[in-house]
Amino acid sequence: MYSVVFMTVLSASMTSGATRTLDAALKKGSTILNLKCVDAQTGLMGKSLLEFQSTKGDVLLAHKFGIHDVVVLKPNKADLGSPPLGQGVVYRLKDSSITVAFDDIPEEGLNSPLRLEKGANEVTYRRIKDTLIQLSSCLHFRTLKQFLFCFKKDAISKALSSKNIFLLHGPPGTGKTTTVVEIILQEVKRGSKILACAASNIAVDNIVERLVPHRVKLVRVGHPARLLPQVLDSALDARVLRGDNSSLANDIRKEMKALNGKLLKTKDKNSRRDIRRELKTLSKEERERQVLAVADVIKSSDVVLTTLTGALSRKLEGTSFDLVIIDEAAQALEIACWIKGDHLQLPPTIQSVEAEEKGLGRTLFERLTDLCGDEVTSMLTVQYRMHELIMTWSSKELYNSKIEAHPCVAAHMLYDLEGVKKSSSTKPTLILIDIAGCDMEEKKDEEDSRMNEGEAEVAITHAKRLVQSGVQASDIGIISPYTAQVVLLKMMRSNEDKLKDMEISTVDGFQGREKEAIIISMVRSNSKKEVGFLSDRRRMNVVVTRARRQCCLVCDTETVTGDGFLKRLIEYFEEHGEYLSASKYGNE
């Protein structure tokens, strides 16, 4: 059943993608026009990094591109369905430029105006589809072996003594990743070879970061452009380049860099053709030498870390593991798990109502929790992130008041941070800024995503007040459930130099993350009191609990209190926090 549903959804997605018009793509922010290539470098473990800027100004037009997105490069005037010059991954994104990592320099067209289009990650779809086919032909996959769903002492002991399966869940900030890391360290001491996976790259990288100080023999498998900069030294490509052939590989890359620079400057077609041939030869030689070393790196590593779909990489073929760990299992499609978490946080992303109704939205973690119960499950109950006031709402609403705040965080305040002064903006732990009655209604963009300009201005203003009180912009995050609002907020941030290091993202983008101060822009403001997916308690749980010392909620209380769950959230903020009208933030 899953196989049929998934393939139907994929087919429909590809069909609709083929019929889009260029104008529609521009309005949706899935295409950036009028670009020029201003720099080409060979780096990132042999990848070619091309930097693009606008041909018409300093700042790129509004778009919905993000780091790690798969993109295709085309001539500016090419038809939407035309073949690309190349496909790559967004490596770096600034207000005025976008840098993309390609396997090879595109053979032609770089000297003319260009455009970038968001593309689908076909590798992920293909691997999930292949897994579905294999599962549908398998008659006996009821018994799960070597799946560890990543507690401090008791939970670790229970996990290490489990025969086949262990499930660990816990509210935000209770140390799930810390527990995962300790289990890995203990298993390595036992001599186990471990495959550690997660649904997202950021979750895998978080584990890598925690393991590195312990000097474990590990390797991170994945596209370098999709990894956090701080884990690149552990990437498979980097480990390979540090092998016996590293000196020669460095010489090859230097030669390729010089040729790439020459290619950008050369206009003669024959010369360009010769340079491209030489680049291909050098690239092939480098790849061949790396392939020879890959098997040795994998074999010598005690821990291999990758995303769930990355576990199907050919580089891991023939490698067996004693233990498999899946972090964020409650956010992963069960299909992906067949190639740890907390089922009260983010669910898997299902874009088809039909697929979700037929069971695709139910995770393996949820099924095993219901099937096995307390016998193989542990829940963490002490959190080390949030002020007690931020935590208590989540604990009461979702965890039967079982969660406690460790004394080290229970009463910490924004003004306790070095350089931050006590002010009306930094004293409260909870702030509710109400836009009701302030003429700040929501709007739709061309993709039916919601935005609210007035509310966005209020959120930016509060962030500015925090910075004026000494809070570092990098310690502040703004979260909105709507992509259109995120794009709008980022555009506003580009006009504020003091806020350039402030992070703005969707709920999914902040999963597993935290900030000293979080500002939540809920967007919805309408006479019908429609709240859409704001009523999903799992997503709101994630949003609120990203905050360590202050959580600021910006919303239209008249609209959102039409939902019972959100009404209880508003009432909690009103009772335990500071209530402000958005009218006090005007003209600032």
Side-chain angles (χ1 to χ4, degrees):
M1 178 181 67
Y2 284 170
S3 178
V4 174
V5 171
F6 182 80
M7 292 176 191
T8 301
V9 173
L10 177 57
S11 175
S13 175
M14 294 175 69
T15 301
S16 63
T19 58
R20 291 180 306 164
T21 65
L22 183 56
D23 287 342
L26 283 170
K27 290 179 180 179
K28 291 179 179 179
S30 58
T31 293
I32 306 178
L33 279 176
N34 303 314
L35 296 174
K36 59 182 177 182
C37 183
V38 297
D39 189 32
Q41 298 183 25
T42 299
L44 202 66
M45 287 141 258
K47 307 295 181 184
S48 297
L49 299 178
L50 300 188
E51 182 180 356
F52 301 95
Q53 293 180 356
S54 172
T55 60
K56 297 185 175 182
D58 294 331
V59 179
L60 297 177
L61 295 176
H63 60 80
K64 295 182 181 177
F65 286 64
I67 304 295
H68 305 159
D69 281 350
V70 175
V71 298
V72 292
L73 178 68
K74 294 182 179 180
N76 203 48
K77 296 182 179 180
D79 294 335
L80 198 65
S82 62
L85 301 174
Q87 178 173 299
V89 174
V90 177
Y91 175 64
R92 187 182 298 116
L93 194 59
K94 300 179 181 178
D95 292 337
S96 59
S97 67
I98 180 170
T99 301
V100 180
F102 294 89
D103 286 337
D104 299 297
I105 289 280
E107 294 187 2
E108 56 185 19
L110 291 183
N111 290 324
S112 58
L114 302 161
R115 77 168 185 260
L116 285 170
E117 298 175 2
K118 290 185 73 172
N121 191 342
E122 296 177 2
V123 173
T124 298
Y125 283 124
R126 187 172 64 249
R127 287 176 177 173
I128 291 179
K129 179 180 175 181
D130 291 344
T131 303
L132 280 168
I133 293 171
Q134 292 179 37
L135 281 177
S136 63
S137 63
C138 178
L139 299 178
H140 53 282
F141 61 93
R142 293 180 181 176
T143 302
L144 300 178
K145 293 183 178 180
Q146 299 176 325
F147 267 72
L148 175 64
F149 291 79
C150 303
F151 214 176
K152 301 298 180 192
K153 223 170 188 180
D154 293 340
I156 293 170
S157 297
K158 192 171 181 180
L160 295 175
S161 61
S162 297
K163 294 181 179 180
N164 296 318
I165 305 167
F166 177 68
L167 305 172
L168 176 73
H169 74 101
T174 51
K176 292 184 292 296
T177 302
T178 301
T179 306
V180 169
V181 169
E182 184 59 33
I183 291 170
I184 291 174
L185 294 174
Q186 294 297 326
E187 286 290 350
V188 167
K189 289 180 180 178
R190 287 180 172 184
S192 300
K193 191 174 185 70
I194 302 165
L195 175 64
C197 304
S200 65
N201 279 290
I202 189 70
V204 180
D205 289 347
N206 285 340
I207 300 175
V208 176
E209 277 194 281
R210 305 285 187 92
L211 284 173
V212 166
H214 297 280
R215 301 185 181 279
V216 178
K217 294 180 181 178
L218 62 86
V219 61
R220 170 66 160 100
V221 177
H223 194 297
R226 291 189 153 184
L227 312 187
L228 291 175
Q230 52 266 43
V231 306
L232 284 175
D233 282 346
S234 302
L236 177 60
D237 301 59
R239 293 251 344 243
V240 168
L241 291 176
R242 290 200 298 268
D244 294 336
N245 295 318
S246 62
S247 178
L248 181 56
N250 280 329
D251 291 340
I252 294 174
R253 289 200 307 278
K254 287 178 183 177
E255 192 172 348
M256 290 176 69
K257 181 178 180 179
L259 286 172
N260 283 329
K262 192 175 179 181
L263 182 64
L264 285 175
K265 297 176 182 178
T266 302
K267 295 184 178 181
D268 180 71
K269 290 185 178 180
N270 291 331
S271 298
R272 291 176 62 82
R273 184 177 63 249
D274 292 340
I275 293 173
R276 285 195 294 268
R277 285 176 179 172
E278 193 170 353
L279 279 169
K280 281 187 175 181
T281 301
L282 290 172
S283 181
K284 181 179 179 182
E285 182 179 349
E286 185 192 33
R287 281 196 297 266
E288 287 176 348
R289 291 185 177 276
Q290 290 180 4
V291 167
L292 292 173
V294 165
D296 289 337
V297 172
I298 298 295
K299 185 177 180 180
S300 65
S301 298
D302 295 325
V303 188
V304 178
L305 302 103
T306 183
T307 58
L308 290 167
T309 52
L312 276 178
S313 170
R314 291 183 179 179
K315 296 168 184 176
L316 299 182
E317 285 182 359
T319 305
S320 59
F321 297 92
D322 302 302
L323 177 68
V324 177
I325 291 177
I326 303 180
D327 196 9
E328 286 190 354
Q331 192 183 344
L333 290 169
E334 175 167 349
I335 302 159
C337 288
W338 280 103
I339 32 180
K340 133 199 142 173
D342 174 19
H343 51 295
L344 297 176
Q345 294 188 52
L346 287 186
T349 301
I350 312 294
Q351 301 201 12
S352 165
V353 175
E354 180 186 2
E356 186 162 14
E357 289 176 347
K358 292 187 177 181
L360 196 64
R362 185 167 172 77
T363 66
L364 185 61
F365 193 101
E366 290 175 297
R367 281 212 306 119
L368 290 176
T369 299
D370 293 342
L371 184 66
C372 303
D374 294 339
E375 184 180 345
V376 297
T377 306
S378 284
M379 176 177 169
L380 302 175
T381 58
V382 179
Q383 64 88 16
Y384 302 82
R385 175 189 299 164
M386 295 162 276
H387 188 286
E388 195 166 27
L389 283 176
I390 301 172
M391 173 209 73
T392 301
W393 168 78
S394 175
S395 180
K396 286 182 177 179
E397 190 69 38
L398 295 138
Y399 301 100
N400 298 317
S401 299
K402 293 181 178 180
I403 313 307
E404 302 174 11
H406 191 274
C408 68
V409 299
H412 62 185
M413 308 295 290
L414 265 184
Y415 55 78
D416 291 333
L417 294 171
E418 185 177 354
V420 178
K421 60 185 179 182
K422 187 182 292 187
S423 69
S424 59
S425 297
T426 61
K427 284 193 293 185
T429 297
L430 302 177
I431 301 176
L432 173 62
I433 305 178
D434 192 358
I435 69 168
C438 296
D439 194 25
M440 298 179 182
E441 288 203 351
E442 66 186 70
K443 298 177 183 178
K444 281 186 181 181
D445 71 356
E446 291 79 2
E447 210 171 18
D448 278 344
S449 183
R450 313 274 172 160
M451 66 175 75
N452 190 316
E453 295 180 10
E455 187 174 288
E457 290 175 357
V458 171
I460 292 292
T461 298
H462 183 65
K464 288 164 62 178
R465 289 185 178 185
L466 291 178
V467 171
Q468 289 166 2
S469 295
V471 180
Q472 296 294 316
S474 58
D475 286 334
I476 305 171
I478 302 183
I479 306 176
S480 178
Y482 293 94
T483 303
Q485 186 76 345
V486 169
V487 172
L488 177 61
L489 285 162
K490 287 182 176 180
M491 291 178 64
M492 291 181 176
R493 180 188 60 187
S494 67
N495 298 321
E496 304 288 345
D497 288 341
K498 292 182 179 180
L499 298 181
K500 65 179 182 179
D501 294 328
M502 179 178 67
E503 190 169 351
I504 302 172
S505 189
T506 59
V507 183
D508 296 76
F510 263 96
Q511 171 75 341
R513 311 285 308 288
E514 60 185 56
K515 292 287 182 180
E516 301 295 347
I518 286 291
I519 304 168
I520 304 167
S521 175
M522 295 181 72
V523 178
R524 302 308 297 265
S525 177
N526 57 78
S527 58
K528 296 181 180 180
K529 297 188 177 183
E530 295 176 344
V531 298
F533 59 78
L534 288 182
S535 60
D536 186 333
R537 61 177 190 160
R538 294 171 295 184
R539 289 187 173 276
M540 195 52 62
N541 182 33
V542 170
V543 175
V544 172
T545 57
R546 298 309 95 196
R548 287 175 50 79
R549 300 167 190 261
Q550 183 184 94
C551 184
C552 175
L553 187 59
V554 188
C555 67
D556 181 338
T557 57
E558 290 185 4
T559 296
V560 301
T561 52
D563 175 84
F565 167 71
L566 295 176
K567 183 180 180 181
R568 293 193 297 275
L569 172 64
I570 298 301
E571 289 173 345
Y572 182 84
F573 269 67
E574 288 176 336
E575 180 181 354
H576 300 284
E578 181 172 348
Y579 174 92
L580 298 170
S581 171
S583 60
K584 295 186 178 181
Y585 283 76
N587 302 319
E588 188 170 320

